[in-house]
């Protein structure tokens, strides 16, 4: 909770050891705990006048048995590296999770009664503003990927005993991301991962695809390589047996298909439709109270199993990572693309290896594009620091979000920039998770050429700029690309690096210093008439345009942005003021949310005129040069735009 | 092809009827056809110096048997409503598809040798610029959803005999979207749908998750409700038998797991790694030629089965749809949210029913949010015009793209605006498909309140603005929302309507006329000092701010945008000029790609100052009013911004 002070990592509370098979009394106490939690969820959602008590109540026994019998948790420091992990993929059922931490004594009664208020971090769906939440959920179907990332870290990186439990709803099992995660988890034999499906039959508006046909879901998880146990999910004894079964299963993850009733225990509402996402009458708690075996308050009296403290201490060197200096030769000033040319995607791969050399917790993840993104360089040098995630970009990002939890890993995720759109929702949620995630998208813009529009990243800048607090790099040459990669590793948060397909000349010295939010003036003049702003392939077009303009006695300033977010507003404004208050932006990207709009907003009250060149239509396949020209972002188009800006038509 | 004139719908070519079991000779001819097509793919990719011959050659027999034995196709008019459909989900293998249409006589030799050139519509990945392509592919895993949409249209809407065939790669079966589509197809018993998986073992950079373990994929499709046939996919006889089996299967779709070899038939390259996506030596065609049974040219000599002409003629009344006039009462000018208040999401549902009343081909699709988006109104009135797609947004959009092919249906897809990000890649590809698709996203912005950030659409304007040629509506009140829905149905292309959760007062008369790209001045003054631009919930905040400012003797103009794209640039500039060249934009959305940036770009050379209010951070749960204020977009914040603009600090 916001007000609860976190204990330090060294202060691990040792919990009373529960024996493996609980006594009959303990089983009864678990039923009681489930009912206490039911009452909590009803009370807190009544107080909030909104929320999901029925989706919570179906899972009461699942959560009670996990928290007070199966899992090894640290109440004092929930993010303890050796603690088991719990991911509530069906995030709307968070009242039951809050109730569990309340019953554990970690959240006060006052706090749970402030559910969903602006002043309380017990939000409508869970976020890591709470110390016991690793990843935000609430967009369905995403939890299992994050859990699989955590389980991968536990088994292969930390090589520790902690286990990962993920609670899914049955409705969200229609989401493909669940099956991407399932395929990944079984491929990597994540036997420390347990998926529990709360199969309560009812979705938001009607019965799910599966209803109560447990076989249908059971067969799906089996076919995806899981060990599957089907149980009555409101039966404590069956739950305990299933967890034990999972613990004894090796080389594959376990799915527990827990058949439950939505609103279980709430008289008149249990298993009824039309009770999704709304409070139930508060007087229904009386009948639940009647079911207590022991008529006593139990808050704080039950504890989890003790931790097995074997996860290594990890201190990520964020802010201190240094790579070996780049080693390129400057290309010819003719911008001939054959001399000393290197693609920024290749320089990214080179820098990633250098980061991997100095930090074993730098990881590369890719979606079967590693020879195109050049992340395969890391695989070749440090195979233990690379995870092939196959063609499943939602899970690719989800696994990375899982890996970075509790500062276990700094994940670099790469694929074609266009295919990050496949994981746009995962990236949106990664922002809500305040994740430390590095994304590197290659093959941007029409300049990829012949492969055509399906492979061209043309909305990736908008996608990543829209993430609160994100940093977006767009390095132009190999030196800049290596430094962007280094900077990305040293920033906490979501960083995107936009890399290009074409090999382009190196324009910066190897010792050039790059900073976040600082652009470069790469060409200047004594009486410039316009400022041209580019990045990546369009920077070269801008330089070509500048030479052509100079031959016509028009001087311009050319600025290489390097960072698209945050923008170097000061340098843009200063340079524009020197250049008769005229800016021409040019980008290999669509208009919306791109460089042009960002620059327009930055100078929107500065009496500067901005003219923007961008890709307007769905492009066609063709040679890169021809496409740059056809879609209006070539040197020729820039020359025209500058002349038009200087001499506007009447 | 671009230059081939399409025949009219009435001019259906009747093809020679093939008997159900081919003669031995015919089987040999199919092998010959497959090898002719192999040679075509090698030659065309050598000429293009790029492309995917090996991924094509694994599928040569699959395509030869489909095109020249199994499918009922119209060579003269491929989009004939009664023709079988073919979707190449593994779009990179398009050379083999182009080769098939070449062998059928529909594409000239000259054209195939222009593969991937700017002047030729045989692009690097297929797009509907070609008359035989319904949906663009190339972003893997999307084809089966589109095919399922077409199959749904065939079985339930057209009630016709045409069948739908979809060729998938094995690598793309790691994509969750494939399993979303599979779940949908079996739930709706699409026995007119056949998925053929070209299981050639090798991905781009390594063996796929499955390798050649046919059982693993076979079990997955079985568990998702498919009838499954496992065959040698380079064996014509087994392929023909499998198609026959599929045709006799009722109440469920069929998956044919076709075990093949990548680069099949190419000496030294067959089944070898490191040959993905690159031309092979042209001299490898000699050995393939040696395998011909009949040493004759066959182009145009083989035809498909005849069509069963039973699909209805459909003429969608695009541009002519009219709804019954809205029937609301104007709310009180105090902007009290309780009097005559209606949420725009509810008005959308009302208008959708009205559209459904006048056109049986208006369809609603939703992802188990229909009581929140109000699309359930259509379900209740016209159950045959509604498809529940469950919680699987990628497939939701993919099915809609499939439905709209060949002008069968005008699909309206609704879910929470935030969850459209889940289908961002499908929307990106829908643009490449030039699809006629209507998307309606509800629950936008921090003003949804207590549910918290996971449910808040805050990047949806950017997402939809980034689609080339899209139209984006953001209606403020119920009258505007009904008219936006009507306009959306009458525009060809991708349209997004942004609707809100909160009930808000009606501000427009029922007979108010709305047009695409035309905003409304909803408050004016004789000597205005600023123009405030809002839409949706922020328009009400702007109106409240205007009243407060007037009490301080500051007059402002308030403009309701209605259309975010295309923007009403003329009205914005004229109004700003009248308002001392000052604009304040305010939006319940993040900055990137939002209203503020769009307006800044629109006035970027007009000597107008723009000050933008938008949501900067990841929001918290809380009451709507409190969140509007905390995140800087309330009336109070607008007042401050206007005063700041008028009296800027030094």
């Amino acid at each position: 909770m916001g007000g609860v002070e976190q204990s330090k990592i060294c202060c691990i509370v040792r919990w009373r050891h529960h024996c493996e098979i609980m006594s009959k009394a303990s089983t009864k106490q678990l039923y009681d705990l489930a009912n206490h939690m039911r009452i909590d969820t009803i009370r807190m959602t009544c107080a909030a006048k909104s929320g999901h008590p029925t989706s919570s109540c179906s899972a009461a026994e699942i959560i009670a048995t996990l928290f007070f019998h199966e899992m090894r948790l640290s109440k004092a420091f929930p993010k303890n590296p050796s603690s088991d992990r719990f991911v509530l993929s069906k995030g709307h059922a968070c009242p039951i999770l809050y109730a569990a931490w309340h019953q554990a004594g970690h959240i006060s009664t006052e706090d749970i009664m402030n559910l969903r208020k602006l002043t309380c971090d017990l939000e409508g769906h869970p976020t890591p503003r709470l110390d016991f939440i690793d990843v935000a959920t609430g967009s369905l179907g995403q939890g299992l990927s994050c859990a699989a990332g955590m389980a991968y870290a536990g088994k292969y990186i930390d090589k520790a005993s902690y286990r990962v439990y993920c609670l899914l709803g049955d409705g969200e099992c229609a989401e493909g991301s669940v099956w991407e995660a399932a395929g990944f988890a079984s491929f990597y034999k994540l036997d420390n991962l347990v998926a529990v499906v709360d199969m309560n039959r009812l979705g938001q508006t009607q019965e799910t695809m599966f209803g109560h046909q447990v076989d249908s879901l059971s067969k799906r998880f089996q076919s995806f390589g899981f060990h599957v146990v089907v149980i009555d999910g409101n039966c404590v004894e069956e739950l305990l047996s299933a967890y034990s079964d999972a613990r004894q299963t090796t080389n594959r993850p376990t799915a527990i298909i827990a058949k439950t009733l939505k609103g279980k225990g709430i008289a008149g509402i249990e298993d009824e439709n039309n009770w999704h996402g709304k409070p139930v009458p508060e007087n229904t708690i009386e009948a639940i109270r009647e079911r207590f075996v022991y008529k006593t308050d139990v808050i704080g009296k039950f504890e989890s199993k003790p931790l097995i403290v074997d996860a290594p201490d990890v201190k990520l060197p964020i802010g201190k990572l240094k790579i070996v200096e780049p080693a390129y030769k400057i290309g010819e000033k003719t911008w001939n693309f054959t001399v000393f040319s290197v693609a920024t995607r290749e320089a990214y791969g080179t820098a990633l290896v250098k980061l991997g050399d100095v930090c074993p917790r730098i990881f590369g993840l890719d979606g079967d594009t590693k020879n195109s993104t050049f992340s395969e360089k890391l695989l070749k040098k440090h195979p233990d620091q690379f995870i092939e995630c196959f063609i499943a970009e939602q899970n690719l990002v989800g696994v990375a979000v899982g890996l970075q939890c509790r500062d276990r890993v700094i994940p670099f995720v790469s694929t074609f920039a266009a295919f990050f759109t496949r994981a746009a929702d995962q990236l949106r949620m990664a922002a809500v998770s305040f994740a430390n995630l590095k994304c590197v998208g290659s093959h941007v813009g029409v300049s990829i050429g012949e492969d055509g529009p399906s492979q061209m990243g043309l909305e990736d800048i908008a996608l990543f700029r829209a993430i609160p607090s994100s940093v977006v790099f767009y390095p132009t040459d190999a030196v800049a690309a290596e430094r962007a990669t280094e900077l990305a590793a040293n920033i906490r948060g979501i960083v995107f690096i936009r890399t290009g397909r074409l090999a382009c000349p190196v324009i910066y010295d190897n010792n050039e210093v790059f900073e976040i939010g600082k652009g470069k003036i790469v060409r200047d003049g004594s009486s410039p008439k316009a400022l041209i702003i580019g990045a990546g392939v369009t920077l070269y077009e801008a330089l070509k345009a500048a030479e052509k303009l100079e031959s016509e006695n028009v001087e311009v300033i050319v600025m290489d942005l390097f960072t698209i977010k945050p923008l170097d507003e000061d340098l843009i404004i200063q340079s524009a003021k020197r250049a008769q208050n005229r800016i021409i932006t040019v980008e290999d990207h669509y208009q919306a949310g791109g460089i042009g709009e960002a620059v327009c907003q930055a100078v929107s009250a500065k009496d500067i005129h901005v003219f923007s060149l961008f890709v307007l239509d769905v492009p066609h396949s063709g040679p890169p040069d021809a496409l740059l020209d056809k879609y209006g972002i070539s040197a020729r188009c820039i020359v025209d735009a500058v002349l038009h800006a200087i001499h506007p038509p009447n």
Side-chain angles (χ1 to χ4, degrees), chain A:
Chain A
M1 293 305 308
V4 175
E5 199 177 15
Q6 286 188 0
S7 308
K8 289 201 184 126
I9 196 161
C10 51
C11 169
I12 297 161
V13 178
R14 290 277 170 176
W15 304 97
R16 181 171 60 83
H17 185 71
H18 284 254
C19 50
E20 193 60 28
I21 306 299
M22 286 192 98
S23 67
K24 204 175 169 189
S26 295
T27 307
K28 284 182 183 168
Q29 282 163 339
L30 287 170
Y31 279 111
D32 269 9
L33 275 159
N35 283 320
H36 276 291
M37 287 157 53
R38 282 196 172 92
I39 292 168
D40 292 339
T41 65
I42 293 169
R43 289 180 62 220
M44 69 175 99
T45 51
C46 280
K49 297 193 180 69
S50 67
H52 294 262
T54 56
S55 299
S56 292
C57 286
S58 59
E61 282 78 14
I62 297 170
I63 298 285
T65 48
L66 278 175
F67 275 67
F68 300 103
H69 187 267
E70 172 62 14
M71 290 173 68
R72 300 174 187 277
L73 295 169
S74 167
K75 195 163 69 177
F77 180 46
K79 287 205 163 50
N80 187 308
S82 292
S83 167
D84 286 348
R85 309 319 297 161
F86 177 75
V87 178
L88 184 68
S89 189
K90 52 175 290 189
H92 56 290
C94 55
I96 198 76
L97 177 61
Y98 302 157
W101 286 103
H102 173 56
Q103 292 297 329
H106 186 60
I107 304 178
S108 70
T109 304
E110 189 190 344
D111 273 331
I112 65 165
M113 296 307 282
N114 282 323
L115 175 75
R116 293 176 160 241
K117 290 189 183 160
L118 188 47
T119 50
C120 171
D121 285 341
L122 298 174
E123 297 192 72
H125 293 77
T127 75
R129 290 182 173 117
L130 295 164
D131 62 1
F132 54 86
I133 300 292
D134 294 317
V135 292
T137 51
S139 183
L140 291 169
Q142 299 195 15
L144 193 60
S145 290
C146 300
M150 295 175 197
Y152 188 99
K155 180 163 181 165
Y156 296 108
I157 308 173
D158 287 338
K159 299 182 173 66
S161 303
Y162 66 80
R163 294 170 64 75
V164 183
Y165 297 82
C166 179
L167 180 62
L168 295 93
D170 47 354
E172 69 177 315
C173 289
E175 288 283 10
S177 50
V178 170
W179 304 102
E180 293 183 11
F184 175 90
S186 70
F187 186 84
Y188 286 110
K189 304 184 196 303
L190 300 179
D191 46 15
N192 56 347
L193 175 67
V194 181
V196 185
V197 182
D198 177 11
M199 196 167 187
N200 68 17
R201 190 179 70 83
L202 294 169
Q204 175 174 328
T205 67
Q206 64 173 74
E207 195 173 75
T208 71
M209 274 184 158
F210 315 106
H212 258 154
Q213 298 168 53
V214 288
D215 266 10
S216 63
L217 262 187
S218 159
K219 280 184 188 155
R220 291 187 189 190
F221 275 100
Q222 269 169 358
S223 75
F224 273 74
F226 276 59
H227 172 57
V228 177
V229 191
V230 178
I231 58 163
D232 175 348
N234 295 124
C235 172
V236 162
E237 293 81 355
E238 291 191 27
L239 283 160
L240 296 182
S241 163
Y243 301 142
S244 172
D245 191 342
R247 249 180 289 114
Q248 289 156 37
T249 300
T250 53
N251 284 321
R252 54 190 172 146
T254 294
I256 298 172
I257 311 298
K259 185 177 172 182
T260 63
L261 296 178
K262 193 157 177 170
K264 171 77 181 178
I266 311 176
I269 285 166
E270 179 180 293
D271 202 31
E272 290 292 329
N273 215 338
N274 295 319
W275 279 101
H276 180 92
K278 57 179 88 162
V280 299
E282 196 154 5
N283 62 16
T284 55
I285 67 174
E286 295 312 320
I288 299 172
R289 246 191 256 280
E290 292 298 312
R291 296 166 70 163
F292 287 144
V293 180
Y294 305 99
K295 310 275 179 186
T296 53
D297 189 26
V298 294
I299 292 168
K301 290 188 183 153
F302 292 95
E303 295 175 344
S304 304
K305 277 194 231 179
L307 304 190
I308 300 171
V309 183
D310 59 0
D313 267 344
V314 174
K315 276 211 178 1
L316 297 178
I318 296 170
K320 296 171 193 162
L321 282 158
K322 299 238 177 285
I323 62 166
V324 172
E325 187 169 285
Y328 300 101
K329 287 186 179 169
I330 299 268
E332 291 187 5
K333 296 283 182 192
T334 56
W335 317 124
N336 180 328
F337 277 34
T338 58
V339 183
F340 303 138
S341 289
V342 188
T344 48
R345 59 186 171 123
E346 183 166 2
Y348 156 67
T350 302
L352 186 61
V353 171
K354 293 178 185 178
L355 284 170
D357 289 343
V358 295
C359 176
R361 295 267 167 166
I362 292 280
F363 265 68
L365 293 84
D366 207 304
D368 194 23
T369 57
K370 56 188 178 282
N371 59 351
S372 294
T373 62
F374 282 95
S375 68
E376 72 172 3
K377 289 191 176 203
L378 182 65
L379 171 67
K380 284 177 182 166
K381 182 90 182 282
H382 299 291
D384 290 348
Q385 289 171 241
F386 188 88
I387 307 174
E388 176 55 63
C389 294
F390 301 96
I391 307 169
E393 295 78 10
Q394 295 189 81
N395 185 62
L396 171 66
V397 169
V399 164
V401 170
L403 286 175
Q404 60 81 46
C405 291
R406 295 192 290 180
D407 271 356
R408 298 284 92 191
V409 161
I410 302 173
F412 277 78
V413 177
S414 52
T415 182
F416 283 24
F419 303 146
F420 273 112
T421 60
R422 198 60 156 270
D425 197 23
Q426 277 74 12
L427 291 164
R428 185 179 71 86
M429 291 301 294
V432 184
S433 290
F434 309 107
N436 184 30
L437 180 69
K438 318 303 157 190
C439 299
V440 184
S442 68
H443 291 71
V444 300
V446 300
S447 52
I448 72 162
E450 289 80 359
D451 270 346
S454 65
Q455 317 294 300
M456 295 171 176
L458 286 161
E459 51 287 282
D460 52 302
I461 294 177
L463 172 64
F464 282 96
R465 279 187 66 234
I467 292 172
S469 308
S470 65
V471 171
V472 177
F473 291 117
Y474 188 177
T476 290
D477 83 346
V479 175
E482 287 207 33
R483 292 306 182 187
T485 309
E486 181 184 40
L487 286 166
N490 284 297
I491 304 164
R492 192 175 278 280
I494 298 176
V495 180
F496 177 59
I497 304 174
R498 185 174 216 237
T499 68
R501 176 178 162 261
L502 294 176
C504 294
V506 174
I507 59 171
Y508 292 110
D509 285 326
N510 288 314
N511 60 2
E512 180 81 22
V513 177
F514 288 86
E515 293 174 71
I516 298 165
K518 295 289 178 192
K520 303 276 181 191
I521 300 300
V522 294
R523 184 183 176 111
D524 212 333
S526 53
S527 58
K529 293 207 172 66
L531 164 65
I532 307 175
I533 297 178
V537 68
T538 62
L539 198 269
Y540 296 95
E541 296 301 311
L543 288 168
K544 286 185 226 168
E547 292 197 354
K548 172 84 170 110
L549 286 163
E550 192 170 83
S551 74
E552 297 177 23
N553 292 318
V554 176
E555 284 189 336
V556 292
I557 305 174
V558 178
M559 176 175 174
D560 180 13
L561 276 180
F562 182 61
T563 324
I564 309 297
K565 183 182 171 193
L567 213 53
D568 191 346
E569 295 186 11
D570 289 346
L571 185 61
I572 291 171
I573 293 166
Q574 283 165 23
S575 306
K577 294 280 173 203
R578 287 202 295 116
Q580 302 192 1
N581 293 312
R582 284 189 204 104
I583 297 177
I584 284 82
T585 65
V586 52
E587 64 194 300
D588 197 358
H589 186 272
Y590 289 142
Q591 175 180 18
I595 291 170
E597 292 195 350
V599 169
C600 284
Q601 179 108 76
V603 304
S604 64
K606 301 292 177 187
D607 300 311
I608 293 166
H609 286 194
V610 185
F611 306 86
S612 296
L613 304 178
F614 44 77
V615 178
L616 190 61
D617 300 314
V618 174
H620 198 282
S621 291
D625 281 346
L627 296 183
L628 288 172
D629 203 54
K630 179 177 169 71
Y631 295 101
I633 55 173
S634 66
R636 182 186 66 78
C637 304
I638 297 169
V639 169
D640 287 351
V642 169
L643 296 177
H644 176 98
I646 296 171
H647 309 291
N650 291 327

